[in-house]
């Protein structure tokens, strides 16, 4: 059973297109995250949701919009894709209910986005 | 602001040799410290974490790390490396009441020679 799953695994698209990446966790966790890993493997948090409520909203272009239909899902929609959006995007989840920061984050396998 | 530095971009060790990966952090209060491992094409897996208490923390796969407040360090060690340990290792720092936000270091790539 996959704990945190992401679809698609690979996404190749043209500049200017709009695309979505889906994330689902079956761990019963309350908090979900999106991270971006650039070509130098640097990982940076983008967003987090706790029980469908936006908690962390880092400085990312407003072309990126997370959506959480329920606490098991956190999707990432990207409008007007740019070359610089090419990266690996990781979804993660944790039991963290109160922002304690101590709970383990479980990561999905990543989605490699390539913008041509 | 929190920050994490992993001074070594790439380390190569022989199989069976000991390993130490360095991590230095910057944070005014008591940090929460984590080590994650990323195998090629995979997501990240937690190796170990430190919040308080005993400064020597044991993790999975035979790894351990020691928190040294005076040196602002949280180095990862393993007494005998296996070929399957070849991967990217990330140190991360978090804190209370930040919604679980983690600040990651730039990673250390470990290669293992036969």
């Amino acid at each position: 059973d996959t704990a945190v799953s992401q679809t698609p695994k690979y996404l190749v698209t043209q500049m200017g297109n709009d695309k979505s990446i889906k994330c689902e966790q079956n761990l019963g966790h309350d908090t979900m995250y999106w991270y971006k890993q650039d070509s130098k493997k640097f990982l940076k948090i983008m967003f987090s949701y706790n029980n469908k409520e936006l908690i962390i909203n880092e400085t990312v272009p407003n072309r990126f919009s997370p959506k959480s239909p329920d606490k098991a899902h956190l999707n990432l929609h990207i409008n007007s894709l740019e070359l610089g959006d090419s990266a690996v995007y990781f979804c993660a989840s944790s039991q963290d209910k109160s922002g304690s920061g101590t709970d383990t984050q479980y990561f999905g396998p990543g989605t490699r986005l390539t913008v041509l | 602001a929190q920050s994490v530095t992993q001074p070594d971009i790439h380390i190569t060790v022989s199989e069976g040799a000991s390993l130490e990966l360095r991590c230095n952090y910057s944070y005014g209060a008591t940090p929460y410290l984590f080590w994650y491992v990323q195998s090629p094409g995979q997501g990240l897996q937690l190796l170990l974490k430190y919040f308080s208490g005993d400064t020597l923390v044991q993790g999975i796969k035979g790894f351990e790390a020691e928190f040294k407040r005076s040196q602002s360090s949280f180095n990862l060690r393993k007494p005998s490396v296996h070929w399957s340990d070849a991967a990217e290792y990330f140190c991360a720092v978090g804190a209370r009441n930040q919604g679980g936000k983690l600040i990651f270091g730039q990673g250390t790539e470990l290669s293992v020679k036969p």
Side-chain angles (χ1 to χ4, degrees), chain A residues 49-67:
Chain A
Y49 270 74
N50 179 276
N51 202 12
K52 302 197 299 174
E53 180 185 348
L54 181 65
I55 302 297
I56 296 173
N57 187 358
E58 290 292 286
T59 308
V60 300
N62 57 15
R63 298 181 294 103
F64 289 79
S65 55
K67 286 191 171 48

Side-chain angles (χ1 to χ4, degrees), chain A residues 9 33 35 37 40-43 45 48 55-56 58 90 96 98-105 107-109, chain B residues 32 34 36 38 41-46 49 51 88 90 95-102 104-106 109:
Chain A
K9 190 168 175 63
Y33 312 82
Y35 288 87
Q37 186 175 46
K40 295 184 179 177
K41 299 190 178 179
F42 181 64
L43 264 165
I45 192 165
S48 81
I55 302 297
I56 296 173
E58 290 292 286
F90 286 100
D96 196 332
S98 58
S100 69
T102 59
D103 294 282
T104 300
Q105 293 185 23
F107 283 76
Chain B
Y32 299 160
F34 305 79
Y36 280 85
Q38 183 181 25
Q42 303 293 316
L44 281 74
Q45 181 184 24
L46 181 73
K49 56 187 178 181
F51 307 134
E88 190 87 20
F90 292 93
R96 177 176 288 279
N97 297 328
Q98 292 198 5
K101 177 179 176 179
L102 293 179
F104 283 86
Q106 57 267 59
E109 183 181 0

Side-chain angles (χ1 to χ4, degrees), chain B:
Chain B
Q2 299 151 277
S3 67
V4 179
T5 301
Q6 293 179 246
D8 304 306
I9 301 298
H10 189 199
I11 283 183
T12 300
V13 300
S14 297
E15 191 167 14
S18 63
L19 171 70
E20 182 168 29
L21 302 182
R22 296 183 291 164
C23 172
N24 293 97
Y25 69 89
S26 173
Y27 185 58
T30 299
Y32 299 160
L33 295 160
F34 305 79
W35 274 100
Y36 280 85
V37 61
Q38 183 181 25
S39 298
Q42 303 293 316
L44 281 74
Q45 181 184 24
L46 181 73
L47 288 174
L48 46 78
K49 56 187 178 181
Y50 170 79
F51 307 134
S52 63
D54 192 346
T55 56
L56 184 62
V57 181
Q58 302 297 320
I60 62 170
K61 305 184 181 187
F63 286 92
E64 67 178 26
E66 187 170 12
F67 171 58
K68 293 186 177 180
R69 184 186 299 275
S70 61
Q71 298 177 18
S72 298
S73 69
F74 188 58
N75 295 348
L76 183 72
R77 300 193 294 249
K78 186 169 185 178
S80 177
V81 169
H82 189 261
W83 64 267
S84 61
D85 293 324
E88 190 87 20
Y89 290 81
F90 292 93
C91 182
V93 64
R96 177 176 288 279
N97 297 328
Q98 292 198 5
K101 177 179 176 179
L102 293 179
I103 305 296
F104 283 86
Q106 57 267 59
T108 298
E109 183 181 0
L110 173 66
S111 297
V112 180
K113 292 189 301 187

